[in-house]
Amino acid sequence: MALIQPEFIPLSRREAEQLGWSEIDVLLVTGDAYVDHPSFGIAIVGRLLIDAGFRVGLIAQPDWKNPEALKEFGRPLVACGVTSGNLDSMLDLYTVGRRLRHQDVYSENGEPGKRPPHATVVYAQLVRQAFPQLPVILGGLEASLRRIVHYDYWQDKLRPGILVDSKADLVLYGMGEKTVPETYRRIADGKSLAGQRGSARLLGKKEAEAFAIDDSCIELPSWEEHLKNPDALMTSTVTLEREMNPWSGKRLVQRYGDRLLVIEPPPEPPTPAEMDRVYAFPFSNRPHPSYQGRIPAYETIRDSIQAIRGCPGGCAFCGLVAHQGRQIISRSAHSILN
Ligand code: SF4
């Protein structure tokens, strides 16, 4: 049953208790300061989950060296969702010249150093230390774009799909309107996460052996082939982008030794009515009141209105297609005017 949407997603136990929540179902961890605006993915995800009946606590920019930093709300009953924030954390931290940035625009007062490099992996491991056995779901741009073997520009080397390093249970790639409520509902109900569109999961040896790679699948070059042959990266990347069509895209698989990464096809994009519903959530459209200073990224979007998602462009330098897909979807004119 949907819960009443609060003014802000709680950042502390005291704020959760003010809502009558003595415990939470889902903990969200993000590398950005919390701005309750739909330009910030975590605000949408948090409100989607509250709408789906989950009590949600949010921890923004935790001390990533201390698992205690995640225990503000106690152990969540269902799962933890992890994101680096709106950008890939390496882009937040470094310039293209591989120099540390003087400012992190997603932090209060632009303060640098509030998130770790490769934040998604670091936070996921921190959750594992704080709450052993708790399901960990990755989302956001960093997890989406790093879901298969990829080239890390800052390390100048190939990296495996992010589930290998993070040891999380699932990646939800792309937009979360359809997949986030469904995934957390499955976990709460004790159901399998297999076959969930818009997700990636890493099968261990036994599960991988039992998995049938049939006509519904395309096998990408394995991790080991990537290490031997640089051309394999182009094959994987082009195939991933080509299969981003929700109506014809196939399931992708990629081997890592005796393990198997399984990436399900993308979900159908939200309809205008579904988009309207999400944007009608009562976002406060401002940073959480605990922040005294300015958050530069908020200054950029504070007067903006999101109208569309997706892009058919496919420019080589842009990750948008691998995240949002090629279909342009739009809110209704009525919703935008509202
Ligand atoms: S840069 Fe990205 S968003 Fe812009 S046109 Fe190219 S693919 Fe589309």
Side-chain angles (χ1 to χ4, degrees), residues 239-296:
T239 308
L240 180 81
E241 290 217 2
R242 195 184 61 219
E243 300 304 321
M244 275 299 288
N245 184 326
W247 296 281
S248 63
K250 292 198 166 188
R251 180 182 282 146
L252 304 176
V253 296
Q254 185 164 60
R255 293 183 193 278
Y256 294 80
D258 51 18
R259 292 180 294 172
L260 188 70
L261 179 68
V262 179
I263 302 174
E264 301 292 344
E268 288 190 16
T271 62
E274 288 167 336
M275 288 268 284
D276 290 357
R277 187 167 167 277
V278 167
Y279 285 90
F281 287 150
F283 295 101
S284 302
N285 289 321
R286 56 195 162 94
H288 186 274
S290 61
Y291 300 111
Q292 305 299 317
R294 58 185 280 277
I295 297 170

Side-chain angles (χ1 to χ4, degrees), residues 310-315 317-321:
C311 179
C315 302
F317 54 83
C318 178
L320 192 141
V321 172

Side-chain angles (χ1 to χ4, degrees), residues 46-82:
R47 290 191 177 277
L48 275 170
L49 288 168
I50 292 169
D51 184 64
F54 296 101
R55 296 164 296 179
V56 177
L58 175 59
I59 295 186
Q61 302 187 314
D63 173 1
W64 65 87
K65 295 182 181 126
N66 180 10
E68 296 299 314
L70 299 185
K71 295 185 177 172
E72 170 69 20
F73 301 94
R75 185 183 172 95
L77 299 186
V78 175
C80 180
V82 167

Side-chain angles (χ1 to χ4, degrees), residues 35-239:
V35 178
D36 192 54
H37 186 287
S39 290
F40 286 68
I42 201 72
I44 293 185
V45 167
R47 290 191 177 277
L48 275 170
L49 288 168
I50 292 169
D51 184 64
F54 296 101
R55 296 164 296 179
V56 177
L58 175 59
I59 295 186
Q61 302 187 314
D63 173 1
W64 65 87
K65 295 182 181 126
N66 180 10
E68 296 299 314
L70 299 185
K71 295 185 177 172
E72 170 69 20
F73 301 94
R75 185 183 172 95
L77 299 186
V78 175
C80 180
V82 167
T83 176
S84 67
N86 268 9
L87 294 184
D88 189 289
S89 55
M90 301 305 283
L91 202 56
D92 282 304
L93 289 165
Y94 294 98
T95 70
V96 290
R98 297 191 176 94
R99 290 176 183 274
L100 264 176
R101 293 186 191 276
H102 298 302
Q103 174 176 252
D104 182 336
V105 297
Y106 287 93
S107 297
E108 187 178 18
N109 293 321
E111 190 181 336
K114 303 265 295 190
R115 81 184 83 219
H118 299 283
T120 307
V121 171
V122 174
Y123 292 154
Q125 292 172 348
L126 201 65
V127 176
R128 284 274 183 254
Q129 290 175 49
F131 307 116
Q133 314 300 327
L134 184 73
V136 180
I137 310 298
L138 309 182
L141 201 78
E142 182 167 289
S144 258
L145 300 190
R146 294 175 182 268
R147 61 188 181 270
I148 60 169
V149 175
H150 55 279
Y151 171 70
D152 185 283
Y153 170 77
W154 290 272
Q155 293 180 331
D156 191 22
K157 62 182 187 186
L158 290 174
R159 299 296 314 160
I162 197 164
L163 284 171
V164 174
D165 287 334
S166 67
K167 301 187 172 41
D169 295 274
L170 198 78
V171 169
L172 286 179
Y173 67 86
M175 299 175 284
E177 275 81 1
K178 288 182 188 276
T179 57
V180 165
E182 165 74 12
T183 296
Y184 286 82
R185 178 55 54 208
R186 284 193 193 193
I187 296 171
D189 293 345
K191 292 183 179 162
S192 165
L193 296 176
Q196 161 82 50
R197 277 185 170 259
S199 75
R201 65 203 166 96
L202 185 62
L203 309 185
K205 183 170 186 283
K206 273 192 183 162
E207 268 188 300
E209 282 170 358
F211 186 90
I213 301 179
D214 56 21
D215 288 350
S216 69
C217 303
I218 295 178
E219 183 159 0
L220 302 172
S222 68
W223 169 241
E224 290 75 16
E225 284 173 81
H226 278 84
L227 297 180
K228 279 189 226 140
N229 174 15
D231 291 343
L233 186 65
M234 183 61 82
T235 305
S236 291
T237 306
V238 168
T239 308

